[in-house]
Amino acid sequence: MALLLLGIALLVLPGPGLLLVLAGLLVISDQFPSAARYVDPVRERAMRAARESVSSPLRITGAALTAAALMAAGLFWGLMPELPFGGWPTGAGLILSSLLLVALLVYSYRTTRGSRS
């Protein structure tokens, strides 16, 4: 349930919201068979979003620059505790979002590239 709630929150926050919603649905569908009907539509939407994220060099560059900006912001916020919400809790969240974005970008690229060949 926590995965599902976190995924829903990350739909509007930086992070892999759709994939966490899918993971949450997969976990709770074992206990609640009625939730299983939502797994396939969410899986299709998540895979479509993964394909679209690497559909052009411009999108890949944009995602990579966003990851770099999140990493820089995380380091900045971590090292500047006098900023609003400054300190390592905020910085670590931004750095984690950056790393997740890079991991999802690599996953999307490999998945898309593998399906084309």
Side-chain angles (χ1 to χ4, degrees):
M1 187 62 123
L3 280 174
L4 183 61
L5 293 175
L6 183 60
I8 291 170
L10 288 177
L11 289 174
V12 294
L13 298 171
L18 210 50
L19 290 177
L20 286 179
V21 168
L22 177 60
L25 283 173
L26 287 170
V27 169
I28 67 169
S29 67
D30 287 340
Q31 295 177 349
F32 303 102
S34 61
R37 67 181 174 186
Y38 298 107
V39 171
D40 286 335
V42 171
R43 179 181 290 139
E44 289 173 18
R45 174 85 190 238
M47 292 300 115
R48 183 178 31 196
R51 281 190 305 274
E52 289 173 359
S53 69
V54 293
S55 63
S56 72
L58 184 62
R59 286 187 183 222
I60 294 170
T61 302
L65 289 174
T66 301
L70 284 170
M71 179 66 73
L75 291 172
F76 187 72
W77 253 269
L79 294 171
M80 304 292 283
E82 61 273 2
L83 292 173
F85 303 107
W88 284 111
T90 302
L94 290 167
I95 291 169
L96 181 61
S97 291
S98 171
L99 296 174
L100 286 172
L101 178 56
V102 169
L104 289 171
L105 186 63
V106 169
Y107 171 79
S108 298
Y109 183 77
R110 287 187 176 181
T111 301
T112 302
R113 189 172 162 209
S115 67
R116 288 183 184 172
S117 39

